[in-house]
Amino acid sequence: MPEQKPEVNQRKPFSGMRVLIAVAIGASFGLAVAYFLKVLIDNTPAEIDLSRLRLFYLMVITSGGLGGFALETMRQLQDEATDPAYRHNNPHRGRRR
């Protein structure tokens, strides 16, 4: 009979679908930044190889997706942790002055 670890909160299981949605949102932000950079680079007199530009745009889009992945994964892991070091009691959180 395997024992359950007491430090893992079983009320909220880790949601992979939320992580995938966060990756898609992050990649769409990366796509928007890549498009902005494309317009900016197209309107400069610089001559840059097309394959290098495509790799640069791919890197920007991938970085956005990776950022969304990291943020959502860490948020879910922090919510699941029962260790008090991960629980920040901020009385001003969510209030307006």
Side-chain angles (χ1 to χ4, degrees), residues 26-84:
S28 64
F29 280 134
L31 182 65
V33 171
Y35 180 73
F36 171 75
L37 291 172
K38 177 190 179 314
V39 170
L40 190 69
I41 292 171
D42 286 347
N43 290 317
T44 60
E47 294 291 327
I48 303 172
D49 187 30
L50 185 61
S51 63
R52 288 185 183 213
L53 278 177
R54 287 182 180 161
L55 287 174
F56 175 69
Y57 299 144
L58 180 66
M59 181 192 68
V60 171
I61 294 168
T62 306
S63 297
L66 184 61
F69 170 79
L71 287 173
E72 181 61 25
T73 302
M74 292 306 295
R75 188 194 65 77
Q76 286 190 35
L77 290 175
Q78 187 175 9
D79 283 346
E80 289 180 10
T82 57
D83 188 4

Side-chain angles (χ1 to χ4, degrees), residues 7-9 20-21 30 32 46 53 66 71 79 86 89 93 97:
E7 65 268 3
V8 177
N9 187 356
L20 290 177
I21 291 170
L53 278 177
L66 184 61
L71 287 173
D79 283 346
Y86 291 104
N89 294 329
R93 188 173 187 178
R97 292 182 181 188

